[in-house]
Amino acid sequence: MEDKIPLRLAALGHPTRLAVFRLLMRRYPDRVPAGDIAAALDLRPSTLSSHLSSLTQADLVAQNRVSTSIRYTINMETVRGTFDGLLLECCRGRPELCASNLPLSTQVPPNGSKTRFNALFICVGNSARSIFAETLLRDLGGDQFNVFSAGTSPFSVLNPHAVAQLKAKGHEVSTLKSQHIDEFRGADAPTMDFVFTVCDTAANEECPPWEGQPISAHWGIPDPVKATGTDAEISLAFQTAYGELRNRILAFTALPLRTLDRISLQKAVDDLAH
């Protein structure tokens, strides 16, 4: 493993390759077509192909063919092994410097005043998918969570089909609103324990790091707002998005959040995207 580390660091030393790597990390565990990567980063196909080849040769990125398309994803086992190799000696001598193995509950203040985890769901418009997720976790998570949602370019109003779907499922919607992600940054914003993106476009965007290093994951869901056809077909798209998010959030609330170490918890929330 260690003899491969210089090659991997060299691959990440180029700013464009690092940008590709970071985008795929944000989209993990998605398998992303090259065209989507090129569009998100404004790269020519030939340029992207060269960088993907370097990352693949370094075993940081894996590729597979889906029909006629080649798709790319992070080789997470290699990435974790690489960073473990870099930090191993550090953690042997100074474990407090390498907090990735500490339980998430160690982030709770020593006085025990923090009794709930803060969770934020992000998409672009903050009018449907992230609103579904916010409502579902608030209602299914009991008193474990303070839940929020936001958009990178939020709409001024919630999608009426999303609101109708939530009402039909018996959820309270009067307090829901669309808001910008910037409302959750700054000195007065709550420190997040979990940050989830639920649309590919938001996950593609390079965002400043969050205070407190929250557990983050990409739970990409097809956008029901883009559904066309009859009223029944559009309604089905919203029902499907709601159902997929409900299944993931039920599984998420069942995790032993206060006892899992950060690496295990990160893997668990990533696995829920499958």
Side-chain angles (χ1 to χ4, degrees):
M1 170 65 72
E2 289 193 2
D3 61 336
K4 299 284 189 179
I5 289 178
L7 173 64
R8 291 167 187 155
L9 293 179
L12 294 174
H14 190 284
T16 303
R17 285 197 291 272
L18 181 60
V20 173
F21 177 83
R22 294 180 70 169
L23 185 149
L24 290 174
M25 282 292 290
R26 294 192 297 274
R27 289 285 298 272
Y28 182 81
D30 282 3
R31 290 171 170 79
V32 186
D36 288 6
I37 303 172
L41 298 178
D42 194 23
L43 296 174
R44 293 184 178 183
S46 58
T47 301
L48 175 62
S49 178
S50 173
H51 292 310
L52 285 171
S53 177
S54 296
L55 291 169
T56 302
Q57 289 175 18
D59 206 23
L60 293 167
V61 168
Q63 65 179 38
N64 69 309
R65 182 175 292 277
V66 178
S67 185
T68 60
S69 172
I70 297 178
R71 303 196 177 193
Y72 298 87
T73 190
I74 290 293
N75 188 339
M76 191 58 72
E77 182 177 354
T78 296
V79 171
R80 286 180 174 138
T82 299
F83 284 102
D84 283 349
L86 288 170
L87 295 174
L88 185 60
E89 293 302 322
C90 156
C91 288
R92 281 178 176 167
R94 299 288 302 281
E96 72 277 8
L97 300 181
C98 304
S100 62
N101 286 323
L102 297 177
L104 184 66
S105 56
T106 60
Q107 297 181 17
V108 178
N111 62 12
S113 62
K114 186 171 185 178
T115 60
R116 297 188 179 199
F117 294 114
N118 293 327
L120 175 66
F121 293 94
I122 301 171
C123 65
V124 173
N126 190 212
S127 71
R129 288 166 291 183
S130 54
I131 293 293
F132 280 169
E134 175 189 355
T135 304
L136 283 162
L137 184 56
R138 181 176 293 121
D139 288 357
L140 297 175
D143 59 1
Q144 285 195 90
F145 300 95
N146 298 312
V147 195
F148 313 91
S149 70
T152 55
S153 298
F155 294 114
S156 57
V157 296
L158 303 183
N159 183 279
H161 295 286
V163 174
Q165 178 69 23
L166 290 173
K167 286 182 177 180
K169 297 295 184 179
H171 297 287
E172 173 59 49
V173 300
S174 62
T175 61
L176 296 174
K177 62 179 180 179
S178 185
Q179 51 197 332
H180 197 278
I181 191 175
D182 286 347
E183 296 188 34
F184 297 95
R185 299 191 184 278
D188 296 331
T191 299
M192 294 300 163
D193 298 294
F194 298 93
V195 176
F196 300 94
T197 50
V198 291
C199 76
D200 295 347
T201 304
N204 286 345
E205 296 182 15
E206 184 75 66
C207 294
W210 290 93
E211 293 291 330
Q213 297 182 322
I215 297 290
S216 61
H218 175 53
W219 290 353
I221 297 290
D223 188 0
V225 174
K226 295 181 179 178
T228 59
T230 64
D231 288 346
E233 290 170 330
I234 293 172
S235 178
L236 179 60
F238 281 87
Q239 291 178 41
T240 300
Y242 174 93
E244 288 187 26
L245 284 166
R246 185 178 188 277
N247 289 339
R248 292 179 187 183
I249 287 170
L250 278 172
F252 174 61
T253 58
L255 295 173
L257 301 178
R258 294 188 183 275
T259 58
L260 285 176
D261 63 73
R262 286 183 61 87
I263 291 177
S264 299
L265 183 53
Q266 182 66 67
K267 184 178 187 304
V269 297
D270 284 339
D271 288 346
L272 293 179
H274 291 292

